[in-house]
Amino acid sequence: MRSDSGSTGQRRRPEAHRSFIEQARRAQLIECAIEVVCELGYGGASLSRIAERAGVSKGVVSYHFVGKAELIEEVVHDVLARGEAYAAREWFDRLPDDAGAWDLLSTYLRSNLTYIAAHPRALQALVQIIGNHRDGEGRRIFGPAWSAKLRAPIESICRGGQEAGEFRGFDVHVMAIAVRRVIDGFVFELLDHPDLDAAAFIEEVVDMFDHATRAERAR
Amino acid sequence: MRSDSGSTGQRRRPEAHRSFIEQARRAQLIECAIEVVCELGYGGASLSRIAERAGVSKGVVSYHFVGKAELIEEVVHDVLARGEAYAAREWFDRLPDDAGAWDLLSTYLRSNLTYIAAHPRALQALVQIIGNHRDGEGRRIFGPAWSAKLRAPIESICRGGQEAGEFRGFDVHVMAIAVRRVIDGFVFELLDHPDLDAAAFIEEVVDMFDHATRAERAR
Amino acid sequence: MRSDSGSTGQRRRPEAHRSFIEQARRAQLIECAIEVVCELGYGGASLSRIAERAGVSKGVVSYHFVGKAELIEEVVHDVLARGEAYAAREWFDRLPDDAGAWDLLSTYLRSNLTYIAAHPRALQALVQIIGNHRDGEGRRIFGPAWSAKLRAPIESICRGGQEAGEFRGFDVHVMAIAVRRVIDGFVFELLDHPDLDAAAFIEEVVDMFDHATRAERAR
Amino acid sequence: MRSDSGSTGQRRRPEAHRSFIEQARRAQLIECAIEVVCELGYGGASLSRIAERAGVSKGVVSYHFVGKAELIEEVVHDVLARGEAYAAREWFDRLPDDAGAWDLLSTYLRSNLTYIAAHPRALQALVQIIGNHRDGEGRRIFGPAWSAKLRAPIESICRGGQEAGEFRGFDVHVMAIAVRRVIDGFVFELLDHPDLDAAAFIEEVVDMFDHATRAERAR
DNA sequence: TATGAATGAGTGTTCATTCAT
DNA sequence: TATGAATGAACACTCATTCAT
């Protein structure tokens, strides 16, 4: 999932030989970056503030990451990887072998939303970075191509559901956009209202997409 | 609709006595700010770049606006005001006197989406600003309260539709979030794919929310 | 008293043909400059703030004065001229024809101190300007030569007193410095403690210099 | 003696763990600030000029001091601390155990004046800063309260002398003002006339205050 | 590995000044 | 006479980055 095409031209260190301590520091700094981005926004997440939060000197960040860009992109990679691992478990646990399209879509929704509910701050950072991180010329790093890749599985599920007659004949691209937008919106909702009933919210969303996708008289 | 709550403590000039030329410059600078924010993102929209785009010296911006915050917030005010004017016209033109909840909601969707299709860059700037503009302590200027105000009319329409039996018994808050998130997502879609068939996209969205909201056997 | 040697190279307008209105504006701006310097200090006295205080546009100041330097130097000229006029009246009123050195010195002290008590803000501005106003290369405009001129009459009086045996054989230069420093210090005292008993203060100062100057067994 | 009342709200670094090199840089920058303030005045002492004088880049100053205010206030602290250390030595060396009020006062005068004669530039900077340094709202940082603290020991000595019958019944507050004003005036005198006979000047001042304070027939 | 020190570009802002109207 | 508009330099400050130790 992670695009290794060094967006900024900066080469990443060879991931192979990293000592234990280096791995730990990187993980710690990524964690701190998440917190700072979440609290102060992408623009407020300077290296000094991240280092300060980690209780280390500013140089440490530059030592472990080739540049700010690598740290930021590593945050994205990290959060995404953890999310995918979580989703894979859900997928395996919850889905029967003969799962229908709606089973797939509702599982996709639930696994995404429960993961967000469990780590709202990490995903807030992710959203901030995706919307703001740019290269030297001002081009978004996580642009259209990246979003398309994120939407692909949803579109695939939807197409399957339509072919099976389970879903009505909507435009799968539009539906995928709606699904992702609603999922990502959950992040803000959770942070803005910490006392939100997440489970109820999730079921409402699932229910909404049930009505939105279901074939007229199906299921 | 415009929140006069001077987020930064900076006082805005008395809007009353503004010369023609001042109005023109302000409008030009707001326009340039929109373009720069749209192209380079919130973080890339420095006063120098905005001034450069306008072909004037940096001091001009400071002359016409009390501070960067005023310029940025004026962009929000401006885009919002134009959007509301547009929506008001649509409302008046399209809606019969005895409009039902679905008439209202679909008009809300269509007027918002067609306005976005007409000025995608302005609304991209708006989205960037809303998500990133913060005060000196790092608090979002356009935070939860602001979003809530934006969602209020949608929730009101939904409640009306439920009371009239036109809509099913979904959670109006969740639905309002979905509506706004999908609408705002349209902004990115348009800019990322300039050749998009906007009309078709809009009808798909309207159709989706028709299915999502409709009472089981209604209409 | 005013040194016309254009300290900054800037030429002053010919003082001759000034319309009534121009005179009034200049006087008003000088007054406002005094207030602003007094309240915000020399460094805080920008043309904008002075103009704002006067309720006119910034350009007005530049119109009536060749540059900021002229305005500032005109403040000095003005306050000094008013002070001298006051002193001259006191001199004429209070002094007998056969006045002794102590009569002269005490009158000098009293006329200076009462003038300060009457216009503390103007003299606070004066002190601020004299200590801070500099030319383009950073040289003080009101430097040693200027202070020397201010001290000349005191030294002259002291020398007279010594020749007459009225004063003891102190160093007139040192005494003149002390006199001027104490007088100028009164300015701060008045502004810092508005409820100060000025008359008592003045008599204490006069008394102090009586003891400081008097010949051992004289008077 | 150092007022820790963070005048600007800016926090000073924990003075404890400062590396040797940091201490050296700070000292150097403080020295350069003194020179620049002395030569160009408070208003001419920009960070760039101070850095330039030190032969370092502008950022170095910001690196070692939280803000300009800290640097400036550190100059005050530094000069004052050195002066107090000097005065304490003088006090210890010169004063007998049974010192009278005049011994105290004359030692106060001499130690202050000789310190000034030894470091006129540092004290010129001090005077400039005290008269001009202000907070964001234009209020003087070293205002009335600060001056009062500086005058306290003089007043105390004077009161002692009066109670002992050594001094005449002058107003101690007025006398303290005179003492401080004359002392500070020495700074300008030295810089304006580098060839001044400092020792003679000092003795003249001491002599003057002897006459000014002495009880009618005492000593 | 980690730090402290330094750099230089870039930020928003203020300012005195100029000039057409 | 007076204004509003614009300029460009200077200001304090922040930042990502580099590097010797």
Side-chain angles (χ1 to χ4, degrees):
Chain A
M1 179 61 67
R2 145 118 150 300
S3 108
D4 235 347
S5 64
S7 42
T8 57
Q10 298 272 29
R11 269 270 58 78
R12 199 178 287 109
R13 298 258 188 99
E15 196 165 337
H17 21 66
R18 277 209 197 108
S19 78
F20 168 72
I21 185 163
E22 164 139 37
Q23 272 185 294
R25 262 275 184 271
R26 284 177 68 98
Q28 179 203 18
L29 290 171
I30 287 171
E31 214 53 52
C32 292
I34 287 172
E35 285 173 34
V36 175
V37 169
C38 181
E39 281 169 31
L40 270 13
Y42 180 84
S46 69
L47 288 194
S48 9
R49 274 199 268 253
I50 293 169
E52 186 190 37
R53 167 85 44 140
V56 298
S57 93
K58 211 169 35 165
V60 176
V61 185
S62 294
Y63 178 77
H64 287 282
F65 297 90
V66 176
K68 188 185 183 180
E70 199 204 310
L71 169 56
I72 292 296
E73 286 157 29
E74 213 64 3
V75 168
V76 174
H77 174 233
D78 211 60
V79 175
L80 241 40
R82 282 190 268 160
E84 277 165 31
Y86 179 87
R89 279 198 304 278
E90 291 280 297
W91 222 247
F92 182 81
D93 291 353
R94 293 243 212 281
L95 277 180
D97 285 350
D98 59 341
W102 174 244
D103 292 324
L104 293 171
L105 185 57
S106 59
T107 302
Y108 181 92
L109 281 165
R110 283 206 187 85
S111 68
N112 271 270
L113 292 167
T114 54
Y115 182 63
I116 290 173
H119 310 93
R121 302 174 71 79
L123 280 120
Q124 162 73 338
L126 189 66
V127 169
Q128 279 278 329
I129 292 169
I130 286 169
N132 287 292
H133 191 45
R134 300 181 178 237
D135 67 16
E137 277 80 39
R139 286 180 296 256
R140 286 175 58 203
I141 304 289
F142 303 100
W146 194 87
S147 324
K149 221 181 283 182
L150 207 62
R151 277 195 301 263
I154 309 175
E155 296 178 2
S156 165
I157 292 173
C158 287
R159 256 188 299 271
Q162 290 176 331
E163 283 160 15
E166 208 178 331
F167 289 168
R168 62 179 183 85
F170 50 79
D171 180 319
V172 297
H173 182 230
V174 171
M175 186 60 68
I177 290 170
V179 167
R180 285 283 2 150
R181 290 287 304 174
V182 171
I183 288 174
D184 293 347
F186 189 36
V187 174
F188 296 90
E189 215 47 34
L190 275 167
L191 285 168
D192 290 347
H193 311 289
D195 53 341
L196 183 81
D197 180 348
F201 189 103
I202 293 172
E203 288 316 308
E204 271 294 323
V205 169
V206 170
D207 198 41
M208 192 193 82
F209 280 107
D210 185 10
H211 286 85
T213 56
R214 190 194 311 185
E216 295 315 316
R217 66 205 125 197
R219 207 164 323 155
Chain B
M1 176 60 71
R2 145 109 143 309
S3 104
D4 236 345
S5 65
S7 43
T8 57
Q10 299 271 30
R11 267 276 54 76
R12 201 180 285 109
R13 297 255 190 97
E15 196 165 338
H17 21 65
R18 271 202 203 116
S19 74
F20 167 73
I21 187 163
E22 163 138 40
Q23 271 185 292
R25 259 277 182 269
R26 281 177 71 99
Q28 181 204 13
L29 290 171
I30 288 172
E31 215 54 52
C32 292
I34 288 173
E35 286 173 33
V36 175
V37 169
C38 181
E39 282 169 30
L40 270 12
Y42 179 85
S46 68
L47 289 194
S48 5
R49 273 200 267 256
I50 293 170
E52 185 191 37
R53 166 84 44 140
V56 297
S57 94
K58 209 170 42 167
V60 174
V61 185
S62 293
Y63 176 76
H64 287 283
F65 296 89
V66 176
K68 189 188 184 180
E70 198 205 321
L71 170 56
I72 292 297
E73 284 157 31
E74 211 66 1
V75 168
V76 173
H77 173 232
D78 212 60
V79 175
L80 241 40
R82 281 190 269 160
E84 275 164 33
Y86 179 88
R89 277 197 305 277
E90 292 281 298
W91 221 247
F92 182 81
D93 291 354
R94 294 242 213 279
L95 278 181
D97 285 351
D98 58 341
W102 173 245
D103 293 322
L104 293 171
L105 185 57
S106 59
T107 302
Y108 181 92
L109 282 164
R110 284 205 187 86
S111 68
N112 271 271
L113 292 167
T114 54
Y115 181 64
I116 290 174
H119 310 93
R121 302 174 71 78
L123 280 121
Q124 161 72 339
L126 188 66
V127 169
Q128 279 278 327
I129 292 170
I130 286 170
N132 287 290
H133 190 45
R134 299 181 177 238
D135 66 14
E137 278 81 39
R139 286 181 295 256
R140 287 175 58 201
I141 303 289
F142 302 101
W146 195 86
S147 324
K149 217 183 285 183
L150 208 62
R151 277 195 300 263
I154 309 175
E155 296 179 0
S156 166
I157 291 172
C158 287
R159 258 188 297 271
Q162 291 176 332
E163 282 161 16
E166 209 177 331
F167 289 169
R168 63 181 183 85
F170 51 80
D171 181 317
V172 297
H173 182 229
V174 172
M175 186 61 67
I177 290 171
V179 166
R180 284 288 354 155
R181 290 287 303 174
V182 171
I183 288 175
D184 293 348
F186 190 35
V187 173
F188 295 89
E189 215 48 35
L190 276 167
L191 285 168
D192 289 349
H193 311 289
D195 52 342
L196 182 82
D197 180 348
F201 189 104
I202 293 172
E203 289 315 308
E204 270 295 323
V205 170
V206 169
D207 197 42
M208 193 193 83
F209 280 107
D210 185 10
H211 286 86
T213 55
R214 193 193 308 186
E216 295 316 315
R217 66 206 129 194
R219 209 164 320 155
Chain C
M1 176 61 70
R2 145 116 149 302
S3 109
D4 235 348
S5 63
S7 42
T8 57
Q10 298 274 30
R11 270 267 59 77
R12 199 178 288 108
R13 297 260 188 99
E15 197 166 338
H17 21 66
R18 275 207 199 109
S19 77
F20 167 72
I21 186 163
E22 163 139 37
Q23 273 185 294
R25 262 276 183 270
R26 283 177 69 100
Q28 179 204 16
L29 290 171
I30 287 171
E31 214 54 52
C32 292
I34 287 173
E35 287 174 32
V36 175
V37 170
C38 181
E39 283 169 30
L40 270 11
Y42 179 84
S46 68
L47 289 195
S48 8
R49 274 199 267 253
I50 294 169
E52 186 191 38
R53 168 85 43 141
V56 298
S57 95
K58 211 170 35 166
V60 175
V61 185
S62 294
Y63 178 78
H64 287 282
F65 298 89
V66 175
K68 188 185 183 180
E70 199 206 313
L71 170 56
I72 293 296
E73 285 156 31
E74 212 64 4
V75 168
V76 174
H77 174 234
D78 211 59
V79 175
L80 243 39
R82 281 190 268 161
E84 277 165 34
Y86 179 88
R89 279 197 305 277
E90 291 280 299
W91 220 248
F92 182 82
D93 291 354
R94 295 244 212 275
L95 279 179
D97 286 353
D98 59 341
W102 174 243
D103 293 325
L104 293 171
L105 186 56
S106 60
T107 302
Y108 182 91
L109 282 164
R110 283 204 188 86
S111 67
N112 271 273
L113 292 166
T114 54
Y115 183 62
I116 289 173
H119 309 92
R121 303 174 71 77
L123 280 119
Q124 161 72 337
L126 189 65
V127 169
Q128 278 279 329
I129 292 169
I130 286 169
N132 287 291
H133 191 46
R134 300 182 178 236
D135 66 14
E137 276 81 40
R139 288 181 295 257
R140 286 176 58 202
I141 303 290
F142 302 101
W146 195 88
S147 323
K149 219 181 284 182
L150 208 61
R151 277 194 301 263
I154 310 175
E155 296 178 2
S156 165
I157 292 172
C158 287
R159 258 188 298 271
Q162 290 176 332
E163 282 159 16
E166 206 177 333
F167 288 167
R168 63 180 183 85
F170 51 80
D171 180 319
V172 297
H173 182 228
V174 172
M175 187 60 69
I177 290 171
V179 167
R180 284 284 0 151
R181 290 287 304 173
V182 172
I183 288 174
D184 293 347
F186 189 36
V187 175
F188 295 90
E189 215 48 32
L190 275 167
L191 284 169
D192 290 348
H193 311 288
D195 52 342
L196 183 82
D197 181 347
F201 190 104
I202 292 172
E203 289 315 307
E204 270 294 323
V205 169
V206 170
D207 198 41
M208 192 193 83
F209 278 109
D210 186 10
H211 286 85
T213 57
R214 194 195 308 188
E216 296 315 315
R217 65 204 129 196
R219 207 162 327 154
Chain D
M1 176 60 74
R2 146 114 146 301
S3 103
D4 236 348
S5 64
S7 42
T8 56
Q10 297 272 31
R11 269 272 60 75
R12 202 181 282 107
R13 296 254 192 98
E15 196 165 339
H17 22 66
R18 274 206 200 109
S19 75
F20 167 73
I21 187 162
E22 162 137 41
Q23 271 184 294
R25 260 276 182 268
R26 282 177 70 100
Q28 179 203 16
L29 290 171
I30 287 171
E31 216 54 52
C32 292
I34 287 173
E35 286 173 34
V36 175
V37 169
C38 180
E39 283 169 30
L40 270 12
Y42 179 84
S46 69
L47 289 193
S48 7
R49 272 199 268 255
I50 293 169
E52 186 191 38
R53 167 84 43 143
V56 297
S57 95
K58 212 170 39 169
V60 174
V61 186
S62 292
Y63 176 75
H64 287 282
F65 297 89
V66 176
K68 189 186 183 180
E70 198 205 320
L71 170 56
I72 292 297
E73 284 156 32
E74 212 65 3
V75 168
V76 173
H77 173 235
D78 211 60
V79 175
L80 241 40
R82 282 190 268 161
E84 275 165 34
Y86 179 88
R89 279 197 305 277
E90 292 280 298
W91 220 249
F92 182 81
D93 292 354
R94 294 243 212 279
L95 278 180
D97 284 351
D98 59 341
W102 173 245
D103 293 322
L104 293 171
L105 186 57
S106 60
T107 302
Y108 181 91
L109 282 164
R110 284 206 187 85
S111 68
N112 271 271
L113 292 166
T114 55
Y115 182 64
I116 289 173
H119 310 92
R121 303 175 69 77
L123 280 120
Q124 162 72 339
L126 188 65
V127 169
Q128 278 279 329
I129 292 170
I130 286 169
N132 286 291
H133 191 45
R134 300 181 177 237
D135 66 14
E137 277 82 40
R139 287 180 296 254
R140 286 176 58 202
I141 303 289
F142 302 101
W146 195 86
S147 323
K149 217 183 284 183
L150 209 61
R151 277 194 302 263
I154 309 175
E155 296 178 2
S156 166
I157 292 172
C158 288
R159 258 189 298 269
Q162 290 176 334
E163 282 159 18
E166 206 176 333
F167 289 168
R168 63 179 183 86
F170 51 80
D171 180 319
V172 297
H173 182 229
V174 171
M175 186 60 69
I177 289 171
V179 167
R180 285 287 356 153
R181 290 288 302 173
V182 171
I183 288 175
D184 293 347
F186 189 37
V187 175
F188 295 90
E189 215 48 33
L190 276 167
L191 285 169
D192 289 349
H193 311 289
D195 51 342
L196 183 81
D197 180 348
F201 189 105
I202 292 173
E203 289 314 308
E204 270 294 324
V205 170
V206 170
D207 199 41
M208 192 193 84
F209 279 108
D210 186 10
H211 286 85
T213 56
R214 193 194 306 187
E216 296 316 316
R217 65 208 129 194
R219 208 162 323 156

